[in-house]
Amino acid sequence: MSTAHAYGSLAQRTAEPLIIAAVAEHVGVPLAPARVEFEDGVRVELDGASEDREVLVEAYAHIGALRGGQPKKLATAAFKLLWTDRKLGATRLVIAVIDVEVEQYLMRPKAWLTSALRDSGVEVVRVALDDDAHARVEAA
């Protein structure tokens, strides 16, 4: 693994709690990373969830144009939220991003993913990070 890739992953992992904190402020509910285990032994890791599991959040710490498998990662995050919601009956589902390009990708007119998010009630929320965290993610 290259040093740049390892740093990128670290920068993004470090930014996720900051993104979740910003979403918590936005929705007015405390959020924390959560592992949800179902009776069939299947478990799912969420970047953020309220204690009552009414609010579920996936954070996406990326800046700039999406390349390679990055669009698929966003679609997978959305599907994870929807599947978990179906099992739990959450009232609010959020994909949180930090970059306007990523937000615009998720809000493209006539794109199936945009329509699926809208029709399924998944909110796309762009939050701001402090300058240092933003710079670390951008450098990654």
Side-chain angles (χ1 to χ4, degrees):
M1 177 185 309
S2 73
T3 305
H5 185 295
Y7 176 75
S9 296
L10 177 61
Q12 290 167 333
R13 282 193 313 268
T14 303
E16 285 179 1
L18 302 173
I19 295 168
I20 296 302
V23 174
E25 186 175 324
H26 174 76
V27 300
V29 176
L31 301 169
R35 172 183 285 176
V36 180
E37 295 193 34
F38 299 103
E39 61 278 350
D40 58 3
V42 173
R43 72 172 186 237
V44 65
E45 304 280 341
L46 297 165
D47 295 329
S50 58
E51 190 172 330
D52 62 6
R53 304 299 190 250
E54 290 291 316
V55 180
L56 308 177
V57 182
E58 281 295 295
Y60 191 70
H62 175 81
I63 295 172
L66 299 172
R67 295 176 308 257
Q70 293 168 335
K72 183 178 176 182
K73 182 173 176 162
L74 283 168
T76 300
F79 188 70
K80 180 183 359 176
L81 284 174
L82 292 168
W83 179 79
T84 305
D85 170 50
R86 186 170 186 159
K87 301 285 253 178
L88 297 178
T91 58
R92 198 161 190 185
L93 306 174
V94 177
I95 292 183
V97 301
I98 59 172
D99 183 63
V100 70
E101 275 188 81
V102 177
E103 178 186 39
Q104 288 173 344
Y105 175 83
L106 291 170
M107 307 299 280
R108 294 169 300 149
K110 300 185 181 180
W112 76 265
L113 183 57
T114 301
S115 293
L117 293 173
R118 183 185 56 246
D119 292 351
S120 301
V122 177
E123 298 174 58
V124 176
V125 174
R126 182 168 44 97
V127 299
L129 296 181
D130 65 63
D131 291 342
D132 288 339
H134 192 275
R136 285 191 303 271
V137 173
E138 192 168 31

